[in-house]
Amino acid sequence: MSCDYNLYPLHVFREVARHGSVTRAAVELSISQPAVSAHLRSLETKFGIALFERTPRQMLLTDAGTSLLDQTNRLFALCEELAPAVDRPSGRVRGEVRIGASSTPGAYLLPGLMRRFQQSYPEAAAIPRIADSASVVEWILSYEIPLGIIGEIALPPGIETHEITADSLCLVTFSG
């Protein structure tokens, strides 16, 4: 099979997988439901296998669909790295830099880091996503974000970590 891909059907596929629904994906993409279904059919024809199990309530990924979703997420993550890769030799940073953070680092640490980043790289925009630590790790594993800031949590293999600060907890009491 050649690599003559139009990436838009893969983008549609990702949206259907994310929403579990052709209708919700069509609304998100601002296209018709038949257009979403046509893109899914084109992918299933291209690969010769069903990518979703269609139920009355939702679209569930088949094993092949799960595999394609993982590769598609990786592909789109690589696409987002194209401009930064071209700019890297010049030291230029531009475009969007998506970063995830769990609640506490997102509230207390991330705003200052983003401010300093913006001052250093005015052509770039840091785009934050805040959730619990497990969600941030899931976003990294699914290539939705390139990096995250979380508290201590058991991590799956393949996640690289660097300590950026340490917490200090203090017992405070009134001795009145």
Side-chain angles (χ1 to χ4, degrees):
M1 183 178 302
S2 66
C3 192
D4 58 348
Y5 291 105
N6 170 357
L7 296 182
Y8 192 71
L10 292 171
H11 175 61
V12 171
F13 165 75
R14 274 189 357 157
E15 288 301 312
V16 173
R18 184 165 72 96
H19 293 288
S21 162
V22 168
T23 302
R24 287 192 297 264
V27 169
E28 179 76 21
L29 295 164
S30 299
I31 62 175
S32 69
Q33 290 178 10
V36 170
S37 295
H39 286 298
L40 294 180
R41 268 193 313 279
S42 75
L43 288 173
E44 289 178 331
T45 299
K46 181 177 200 97
F47 295 114
I49 193 163
L51 301 172
F52 289 98
E53 178 184 326
R54 290 147 173 89
T55 71
R57 293 187 171 213
Q58 64 181 340
M59 303 280 285
L60 301 172
L61 286 168
T62 62
D63 288 344
T66 299
S67 179
L68 180 62
L69 180 61
D70 180 56
Q71 294 302 312
T72 300
N73 286 337
R74 292 178 65 204
L75 174 65
F76 279 93
L78 287 170
C79 287
E80 291 175 8
E81 292 178 15
L82 290 175
V86 171
D87 289 334
R88 195 169 296 125
S90 68
R92 185 176 179 196
V93 177
R94 63 184 169 128
E96 291 183 353
V97 178
R98 291 169 291 118
I99 182 169
S102 58
S103 305
T104 302
Y108 297 102
L109 186 61
L110 192 56
L113 291 173
M114 287 177 55
R115 202 170 20 262
R116 287 196 302 273
F117 177 83
Q118 196 69 58
Q119 289 168 347
S120 298
Y121 306 102
E123 292 183 88
I127 309 295
R129 260 181 104 175
I130 310 295
D132 59 83
S133 294
S135 294
V136 174
V137 171
E138 183 58 36
W139 294 336
I140 289 171
L141 291 172
S142 64
Y143 303 94
E144 293 178 50
I145 60 172
L147 58 108
I149 301 172
I150 60 172
E152 196 166 321
I153 184 176
L155 296 170
I159 298 285
E160 186 178 329
T161 63
H162 300 279
E163 186 173 314
I164 58 173
T165 189
D167 284 1
S168 176
L169 301 176
C170 301
L171 175 62
V172 179
T173 184
F174 181 70
S175 62

Coordinates of all heavy atoms in Angstrom, one line a residue, residues 21-106:
S21 N -19.4 9.1 18.2 CA -20.7 9.4 17.5 C -20.4 10.1 16.2 O -19.6 11.1 16.2 CB -21.5 10.3 18.4 OG -22.5 10.9 17.7
V22 N -21.1 9.7 15.2 CA -21.0 10.4 13.9 C -21.6 11.7 14.0 O -21.1 12.7 13.5 CB -21.6 9.5 12.8 CG1 -21.8 10.3 11.5 CG2 -20.8 8.3 12.5
T23 N -22.8 11.8 14.7 CA -23.5 13.1 14.8 C -22.6 14.1 15.5 O -22.5 15.3 15.1 CB -24.8 12.9 15.6 OG1 -25.6 11.9 14.9 CG2 -25.6 14.2 15.7
R24 N -22.1 13.8 16.7 CA -21.3 14.7 17.4 C -20.0 15.1 16.7 O -19.6 16.3 16.7 CB -20.9 14.2 18.8 CG -22.2 14.2 19.7 CD -21.8 13.9 21.2 NE -21.2 12.6 21.4 CZ -21.9 11.6 21.8 NH1 -23.2 11.6 22.0 NH2 -21.2 10.4 22.0
A25 N -19.4 14.2 16.0 CA -18.2 14.5 15.1 C -18.6 15.4 14.0 O -17.8 16.4 13.7 CB -17.6 13.2 14.6
A26 N -19.7 15.2 13.4 CA -20.2 16.1 12.3 C -20.4 17.5 12.8 O -20.0 18.5 12.1 CB -21.5 15.6 11.7
V27 N -21.0 17.7 14.0 CA -21.2 19.0 14.6 C -19.8 19.6 14.9 O -19.6 20.8 14.5 CB -22.0 18.9 15.9 CG1 -22.0 20.2 16.6 CG2 -23.5 18.5 15.5
E28 N -18.9 18.9 15.5 CA -17.6 19.4 15.8 C -16.8 19.8 14.5 O -16.1 20.9 14.5 CB -16.8 18.3 16.5 CG -15.4 18.7 16.9 CD -15.3 19.6 18.1 OE1 -16.3 19.7 18.9 OE2 -14.3 20.3 18.2
L29 N -17.0 19.1 13.5 CA -16.2 19.4 12.2 C -17.0 20.3 11.3 O -16.4 20.7 10.3 CB -16.0 18.1 11.5 CG -15.0 17.1 12.2 CD1 -15.2 15.7 11.6 CD2 -13.6 17.6 12.2
S30 N -18.2 20.6 11.6 CA -19.1 21.5 10.8 C -19.2 20.9 9.4 O -19.1 21.6 8.4 CB -18.5 22.9 10.7 OG -18.4 23.5 12.0
I31 N -19.5 19.6 9.3 CA -19.8 18.9 8.1 C -21.0 18.1 8.3 O -21.4 17.9 9.5 CB -18.6 18.1 7.5 CG1 -18.2 17.0 8.5 CG2 -17.4 19.0 7.2 CD1 -17.2 16.0 7.9
S32 N -21.6 17.5 7.3 CA -22.8 16.7 7.4 C -22.5 15.3 7.9 O -21.4 14.8 7.8 CB -23.5 16.6 6.1 OG -22.8 15.8 5.2
Q33 N -23.5 14.7 8.5 CA -23.3 13.3 8.9 C -23.0 12.4 7.8 O -22.1 11.5 7.9 CB -24.6 12.8 9.6 CG -24.8 13.4 11.0 CD -26.1 12.9 11.6 OE1 -26.8 12.0 11.1 NE2 -26.5 13.6 12.7
P34 N -23.7 12.5 6.6 CA -23.3 11.7 5.4 C -21.8 11.9 5.0 O -21.2 10.9 4.6 CB -24.3 12.1 4.3 CG -25.5 12.6 5.1 CD -24.9 13.3 6.3
A35 N -21.3 13.1 5.1 CA -19.9 13.3 4.8 C -19.0 12.6 5.8 O -18.0 12.0 5.4 CB -19.6 14.8 4.8
V36 N -19.3 12.6 7.1 CA -18.5 11.9 8.1 C -18.6 10.4 7.7 O -17.5 9.7 7.7 CB -19.1 12.1 9.5 CG1 -18.4 11.2 10.5 CG2 -18.8 13.6 9.9
S37 N -19.7 9.9 7.5 CA -19.9 8.4 7.1 C -19.1 8.1 5.9 O -18.5 7.0 5.8 CB -21.4 8.1 6.9 OG -22.0 8.2 8.2
A38 N -19.1 9.0 4.9 CA -18.3 8.7 3.6 C -16.8 8.7 3.9 O -16.1 7.8 3.3 CB -18.6 9.8 2.6
H39 N -16.3 9.5 4.8 CA -14.9 9.5 5.1 C -14.6 8.2 5.8 O -13.5 7.6 5.6 CB -14.5 10.7 6.0 CG -14.4 12.0 5.2 ND1 -13.5 12.2 4.2 CD2 -15.1 13.1 5.3 CE1 -13.7 13.4 3.7 NE2 -14.6 14.0 4.4
L40 N -15.4 7.7 6.7 CA -15.2 6.5 7.4 C -15.2 5.3 6.5 O -14.4 4.4 6.5 CB -16.2 6.3 8.5 CG -16.2 7.2 9.7 CD1 -17.3 6.9 10.7 CD2 -14.8 7.3 10.4
R41 N -16.2 5.3 5.5 CA -16.3 4.2 4.5 C -15.0 4.2 3.7 O -14.5 3.1 3.3 CB -17.5 4.4 3.6 CG -18.7 3.7 4.1 CD -19.8 3.6 3.1 NE -20.1 4.9 2.4 CZ -20.9 5.9 2.9 NH1 -21.4 5.7 4.1 NH2 -21.1 7.0 2.2
S42 N -14.5 5.4 3.3 CA -13.3 5.4 2.5 C -12.1 4.8 3.2 O -11.3 4.1 2.6 CB -13.0 6.9 2.0 OG -12.4 7.6 3.1
L43 N -12.0 5.0 4.5 CA -10.9 4.4 5.3 C -11.1 2.9 5.4 O -10.1 2.1 5.2 CB -10.8 5.1 6.7 CG -10.2 6.5 6.7 CD1 -10.4 7.0 8.1 CD2 -8.8 6.5 6.2
E44 N -12.3 2.5 5.7 CA -12.6 1.1 5.8 C -12.4 0.3 4.5 O -11.8 -0.8 4.5 CB -14.0 0.8 6.4 CG -14.1 1.3 7.8 CD -15.5 1.1 8.4 OE1 -16.5 1.2 7.7 OE2 -15.6 0.9 9.6
T45 N -12.7 1.0 3.4 CA -12.4 0.4 2.1 C -10.9 0.3 1.8 O -10.4 -0.7 1.3 CB -13.1 1.2 1.0 OG1 -14.5 1.2 1.2 CG2 -12.8 0.7 -0.4
K46 N -10.2 1.4 2.1 CA -8.8 1.5 1.9 C -8.0 0.4 2.7 O -7.2 -0.3 2.1 CB -8.2 2.8 2.3 CG -6.7 3.0 2.1 CD -6.3 4.4 2.5 CE -5.0 4.7 1.9 NZ -5.1 5.5 0.6
F47 N -8.5 0.1 3.9 CA -7.8 -0.9 4.8 C -8.4 -2.2 4.7 O -7.9 -3.2 5.2 CB -7.7 -0.4 6.2 CG -6.8 0.8 6.4 CD1 -7.4 2.1 6.8 CD2 -5.5 0.8 6.1 CE1 -6.6 3.2 6.9 CE2 -4.7 1.9 6.3 CZ -5.2 3.1 6.6
G48 N -9.7 -2.3 4.1 CA -10.3 -3.6 4.0 C -10.8 -4.2 5.3 O -10.9 -5.4 5.4
I49 N -11.1 -3.3 6.3 CA -11.5 -3.9 7.6 C -12.4 -2.8 8.3 O -12.2 -1.6 8.1 CB -10.3 -4.2 8.4 CG1 -10.7 -5.0 9.7 CG2 -9.5 -3.0 8.8 CD1 -9.6 -5.8 10.3
A50 N -13.3 -3.3 9.1 CA -14.2 -2.4 9.9 C -13.4 -1.7 11.0 O -12.6 -2.4 11.7 CB -15.4 -3.2 10.5
L51 N -13.5 -0.4 11.1 CA -12.8 0.3 12.1 C -13.7 0.6 13.4 O -13.2 0.9 14.4 CB -12.3 1.7 11.5 CG -11.4 1.5 10.3 CD1 -11.1 2.8 9.7 CD2 -10.1 0.8 10.8
F52 N -15.0 0.5 13.2 CA -15.9 0.8 14.3 C -17.0 -0.3 14.3 O -17.3 -0.9 13.3 CB -16.7 2.1 14.1 CG -15.9 3.3 14.3 CD1 -15.3 4.0 13.2 CD2 -15.6 3.8 15.6 CE1 -14.5 5.1 13.4 CE2 -14.8 4.9 15.7 CZ -14.3 5.6 14.7
E53 N -17.4 -0.6 15.5 CA -18.6 -1.4 15.7 C -19.7 -0.4 15.9 O -19.7 0.4 16.9 CB -18.4 -2.4 16.9 CG -19.7 -3.2 17.2 CD -19.5 -4.0 18.5 OE1 -18.4 -4.4 18.8 OE2 -20.5 -4.2 19.2
R54 N -20.7 -0.5 15.1 CA -21.8 0.5 15.2 C -22.9 0.0 16.0 O -23.4 -1.1 15.7 CB -22.3 0.9 13.8 CG -21.3 1.7 13.0 CD -21.3 1.4 11.5 NE -20.5 2.2 10.7 CZ -19.2 2.0 10.4 NH1 -18.6 0.9 10.9 NH2 -18.5 2.9 9.6
T55 N -23.2 0.7 17.1 CA -24.4 0.3 17.9 C -25.4 1.4 17.9 O -25.1 2.5 17.4 CB -23.9 0.1 19.4 OG1 -23.6 1.4 20.0 CG2 -22.7 -0.8 19.5
P56 N -26.6 1.2 18.3 CA -27.6 2.3 18.3 C -27.2 3.5 19.1 O -27.6 4.6 18.8 CB -28.8 1.7 18.9 CG -28.7 0.2 18.7 CD -27.2 0.0 18.8
R57 N -26.4 3.4 20.1 CA -26.0 4.5 21.0 C -24.6 5.1 20.7 O -24.4 6.3 21.0 CB -26.0 4.1 22.4 CG -27.4 3.7 22.9 CD -27.4 3.5 24.3 NE -28.8 3.4 24.7 CZ -29.3 3.8 25.9 NH1 -28.4 4.3 26.8 NH2 -30.5 3.7 26.2
Q58 N -23.7 4.3 20.1 CA -22.4 4.9 19.9 C -21.6 4.1 18.9 O -22.0 3.0 18.6 CB -21.6 5.0 21.3 CG -21.3 3.7 21.9 CD -20.6 3.8 23.2 OE1 -20.0 4.8 23.5 NE2 -20.7 2.8 24.1
M59 N -20.4 4.6 18.6 CA -19.5 4.0 17.7 C -18.3 3.5 18.6 O -17.7 4.3 19.2 CB -19.0 5.0 16.6 CG -20.0 5.6 15.8 SD -20.6 4.6 14.5 CE -19.2 4.7 13.4
L60 N -18.1 2.2 18.6 CA -17.0 1.6 19.3 C -15.9 1.2 18.4 O -16.2 0.5 17.4 CB -17.6 0.4 20.1 CG -18.7 0.7 21.1 CD1 -19.3 -0.7 21.6 CD2 -18.2 1.6 22.2
L61 N -14.7 1.5 18.8 CA -13.6 1.1 18.0 C -13.4 -0.4 18.0 O -13.5 -1.1 19.0 CB -12.3 1.7 18.5 CG -12.1 3.2 18.2 CD1 -10.9 3.8 19.0 CD2 -11.9 3.5 16.7
T62 N -13.1 -1.0 16.8 CA -12.7 -2.4 16.8 C -11.2 -2.5 17.1 O -10.6 -1.4 17.3 CB -12.9 -2.9 15.3 OG1 -12.0 -2.2 14.4 CG2 -14.3 -2.9 14.9
D63 N -10.6 -3.6 17.2 CA -9.2 -3.7 17.5 C -8.4 -3.0 16.4 O -7.4 -2.3 16.7 CB -8.8 -5.2 17.6 CG -9.3 -5.9 18.8 OD1 -9.7 -5.2 19.8 OD2 -9.2 -7.1 18.9
A64 N -8.8 -3.2 15.1 CA -8.1 -2.5 14.0 C -8.3 -1.0 14.2 O -7.4 -0.2 13.9 CB -8.7 -3.0 12.7
G65 N -9.5 -0.6 14.6 CA -9.7 0.9 14.8 C -8.9 1.4 15.9 O -8.3 2.6 15.8
T66 N -8.7 0.7 17.0 CA -7.8 1.1 18.1 C -6.4 1.3 17.6 O -5.7 2.2 17.9 CB -7.9 0.1 19.2 OG1 -9.3 0.1 19.7 CG2 -7.0 0.5 20.4
S67 N -5.9 0.3 16.8 CA -4.6 0.4 16.3 C -4.4 1.6 15.3 O -3.4 2.3 15.4 CB -4.3 -0.9 15.5 OG -3.0 -0.9 15.0
L68 N -5.4 1.8 14.5 CA -5.3 2.9 13.6 C -5.4 4.2 14.3 O -4.7 5.2 14.0 CB -6.5 2.9 12.5 CG -6.5 4.0 11.5 CD1 -5.2 4.0 10.7 CD2 -7.7 4.0 10.6
L69 N -6.2 4.3 15.4 CA -6.3 5.5 16.2 C -4.9 5.9 16.8 O -4.5 7.0 16.8 CB -7.3 5.4 17.2 CG -7.5 6.7 18.1 CD1 -7.9 7.9 17.3 CD2 -8.5 6.4 19.2
D70 N -4.2 4.9 17.3 CA -2.9 5.1 17.9 C -2.0 5.6 16.9 O -1.3 6.6 17.1 CB -2.4 3.8 18.5 CG -1.0 4.0 19.2 OD1 -0.9 4.9 20.0 OD2 -0.1 3.3 18.8
Q71 N -1.9 5.0 15.7 CA -1.0 5.5 14.7 C -1.4 6.8 14.1 O -0.5 7.7 13.8 CB -1.0 4.4 13.5 CG -0.4 3.1 13.9 CD 1.0 3.2 14.5 OE1 1.9 3.9 13.8 NE2 1.3 2.6 15.6
T72 N -2.7 7.1 14.0 CA -3.2 8.4 13.6 C -2.8 9.5 14.5 O -2.4 10.6 14.1 CB -4.7 8.3 13.3 OG1 -5.0 7.3 12.4 CG2 -5.3 9.7 12.9
N73 N -3.0 9.2 15.8 CA -2.6 10.2 16.8 C -1.1 10.5 16.7 O -0.6 11.6 16.8 CB -2.9 9.7 18.3 CG -4.4 9.8 18.5 OD1 -5.1 10.6 17.9 ND2 -4.9 9.0 19.5
R74 N -0.3 9.5 16.5 CA 1.2 9.7 16.4 C 1.5 10.5 15.1 O 2.3 11.4 15.1 CB 1.9 8.3 16.3 CG 1.9 7.6 17.6 CD 2.5 6.2 17.5 NE 3.9 6.4 17.3 CZ 4.7 5.5 16.7 NH1 4.2 4.3 16.4 NH2 6.0 5.7 16.5
L75 N 0.7 10.2 14.0 CA 0.9 10.9 12.8 C 0.6 12.4 12.9 O 1.4 13.2 12.5 CB 0.0 10.3 11.7 CG 0.0 11.0 10.3 CD1 1.4 11.0 9.7 CD2 -1.0 10.4 9.4
F76 N -0.5 12.7 13.6 CA -0.8 14.1 13.7 C 0.1 14.8 14.7 O 0.4 16.0 14.5 CB -2.3 14.3 14.2 CG -3.3 14.2 13.0 CD1 -3.8 13.0 12.7 CD2 -3.6 15.3 12.3 CE1 -4.7 12.9 11.6 CE2 -4.4 15.2 11.2 CZ -5.0 14.0 10.8
A77 N 0.6 14.1 15.7 CA 1.6 14.7 16.6 C 2.9 15.0 15.8 O 3.5 16.1 16.0 CB 2.0 13.7 17.7
L78 N 3.3 14.1 14.9 CA 4.5 14.4 14.0 C 4.2 15.6 13.1 O 5.1 16.4 12.9 CB 4.8 13.2 13.2 CG 5.5 12.1 14.0 CD1 5.6 10.8 13.1 CD2 6.9 12.5 14.5
C79 N 3.0 15.7 12.6 CA 2.7 16.8 11.7 C 2.8 18.1 12.4 O 3.3 19.1 11.9 CB 1.2 16.7 11.2 SG 1.0 15.4 9.9
E80 N 2.4 18.1 13.7 CA 2.5 19.4 14.5 C 3.9 19.7 14.8 O 4.2 20.9 15.1 CB 1.7 19.2 15.8 CG 0.2 19.2 15.5 CD -0.6 18.9 16.8 OE1 -0.1 18.9 17.9 OE2 -1.8 18.7 16.6
E81 N 4.9 18.8 14.7 CA 6.3 19.1 14.9 C 7.0 19.6 13.7 O 8.2 19.9 13.8 CB 7.0 17.8 15.4 CG 6.5 17.4 16.8 CD 7.2 16.1 17.3 OE1 8.2 15.7 16.6 OE2 6.7 15.5 18.2
L82 N 6.3 19.6 12.5 CA 7.0 20.0 11.3 C 7.6 21.4 11.4 O 8.8 21.6 11.1 CB 6.1 19.8 10.1 CG 5.8 18.4 9.7 CD1 4.8 18.4 8.5 CD2 7.0 17.7 9.3
A83 N 6.7 22.4 11.7 CA 7.2 23.8 11.7 C 8.3 24.0 12.8 O 9.3 24.6 12.5 CB 6.0 24.7 11.9
P84 N 8.1 23.4 14.0 CA 9.2 23.6 15.0 C 10.5 22.9 14.5 O 11.6 23.4 14.8 CB 8.6 22.9 16.2 CG 7.1 23.0 16.1 CD 6.9 22.9 14.6
A85 N 10.4 21.8 13.8 CA 11.6 21.1 13.3 C 12.3 22.0 12.3 O 13.6 22.1 12.3 CB 11.3 19.8 12.7
V86 N 11.6 22.7 11.5 CA 12.2 23.6 10.5 C 12.8 24.8 11.2 O 13.9 25.2 10.8 CB 11.2 24.0 9.4 CG1 11.7 25.1 8.5 CG2 10.7 22.8 8.6
D87 N 12.2 25.3 12.2 CA 12.7 26.4 12.9 C 13.8 26.1 13.9 O 14.6 27.0 14.3 CB 11.6 27.1 13.7 CG 10.6 27.8 12.8 OD1 10.9 28.2 11.7 OD2 9.4 27.9 13.3
R88 N 14.0 24.9 14.3 CA 14.9 24.5 15.3 C 16.4 24.9 15.0 O 17.0 25.5 15.9 CB 14.9 23.0 15.6 CG 15.6 22.5 16.8 CD 15.3 21.1 17.2 NE 13.9 20.9 17.4 CZ 13.1 20.0 16.8 NH1 13.6 19.2 15.9 NH2 11.8 19.9 17.1
P89 N 16.9 24.8 13.8 CA 18.3 25.2 13.6 C 18.5 26.7 13.8 O 19.6 27.1 14.2 CB 18.5 24.8 12.1 CG 17.5 23.7 11.8 CD 16.3 24.0 12.7
S90 N 17.4 27.5 13.6 CA 17.6 28.9 13.8 C 17.3 29.3 15.2 O 17.5 30.5 15.6 CB 16.7 29.7 12.9 OG 15.3 29.5 13.3
G91 N 16.8 28.4 16.1 CA 16.5 28.7 17.4 C 15.1 29.4 17.6 O 14.8 29.8 18.7
R92 N 14.4 29.5 16.5 CA 13.1 30.2 16.5 C 12.0 29.2 17.0 O 12.0 28.0 16.7 CB 12.8 30.6 15.1 CG 11.5 31.4 14.9 CD 11.4 31.8 13.5 NE 10.2 32.6 13.3 CZ 9.7 32.8 12.1 NH1 10.3 32.4 11.0 NH2 8.6 33.5 12.0
V93 N 11.2 29.7 17.9 CA 10.0 28.9 18.4 C 8.8 29.7 18.1 O 8.6 30.9 18.4 CB 10.1 28.7 19.9 CG1 8.9 28.0 20.5 CG2 11.4 28.0 20.3
R94 N 7.8 29.1 17.4 CA 6.6 29.7 17.0 C 5.5 28.7 17.0 O 5.7 27.5 17.0 CB 6.7 30.4 15.7 CG 7.0 29.5 14.5 CD 7.2 30.3 13.2 NE 7.7 29.4 12.2 CZ 7.2 29.2 11.0 NH1 6.2 29.9 10.7 NH2 7.7 28.4 10.2
G95 N 4.2 29.2 16.8 CA 3.1 28.3 16.8 C 2.6 28.0 18.2 O 2.9 28.6 19.1
E96 N 1.7 27.0 18.2 CA 1.1 26.6 19.5 C 2.0 25.5 20.2 O 2.5 24.6 19.5 CB -0.3 26.0 19.3 CG -1.3 27.0 18.8 CD -2.7 26.5 18.7 OE1 -2.8 25.2 18.8 OE2 -3.6 27.2 18.5
V97 N 2.1 25.6 21.5 CA 2.8 24.6 22.3 C 1.8 24.2 23.3 O 1.4 25.0 24.2 CB 4.1 25.2 23.0 CG1 4.7 24.1 23.9 CG2 5.0 25.7 22.0
R98 N 1.3 23.0 23.2 CA 0.2 22.5 24.1 C 0.9 21.8 25.3 O 1.8 21.1 25.2 CB -0.7 21.5 23.4 CG -1.5 22.1 22.3 CD -2.2 21.2 21.4 NE -1.2 20.5 20.6 CZ -1.0 19.2 20.6 NH1 -1.7 18.4 21.3 NH2 -0.1 18.7 19.8
I99 N 0.4 22.2 26.5 CA 0.9 21.6 27.7 C -0.2 21.3 28.6 O -1.2 22.0 28.8 CB 1.9 22.6 28.4 CG1 2.5 22.0 29.6 CG2 1.2 24.0 28.6 CD1 3.7 22.8 30.2
G100 N -0.1 20.1 29.2 CA -1.1 19.7 30.2 C -0.6 19.8 31.6 O 0.7 19.8 31.8
A101 N -1.5 20.0 32.5 CA -1.1 20.1 33.9 C -2.2 19.6 34.8 O -3.3 19.7 34.5 CB -0.7 21.5 34.3
S102 N -1.8 18.9 35.9 CA -2.8 18.5 36.9 C -3.2 19.8 37.7 O -2.6 20.8 37.6 CB -2.3 17.4 37.8 OG -1.1 17.8 38.5
S103 N -4.2 19.7 38.5 CA -4.8 20.8 39.1 C -3.9 21.7 39.9 O -3.8 22.9 39.6 CB -5.9 20.4 40.1 OG -6.8 19.5 39.4
T104 N -3.1 21.2 40.8 CA -2.3 22.1 41.6 C -1.2 22.7 40.8 O -1.0 23.9 40.9 CB -1.7 21.3 42.8 OG1 -2.8 20.7 43.6 CG2 -0.9 22.1 43.7
P105 N -0.4 22.0 40.1 CA 0.6 22.6 39.3 C 0.0 23.6 38.2 O 0.6 24.7 37.9 CB 1.4 21.5 38.5 CG 1.1 20.3 39.3 CD -0.2 20.5 40.0
G106 N -1.2 23.2 37.7 CA -1.9 24.1 36.8 C -2.3 25.4 37.4 O -2.3 26.4 36.7

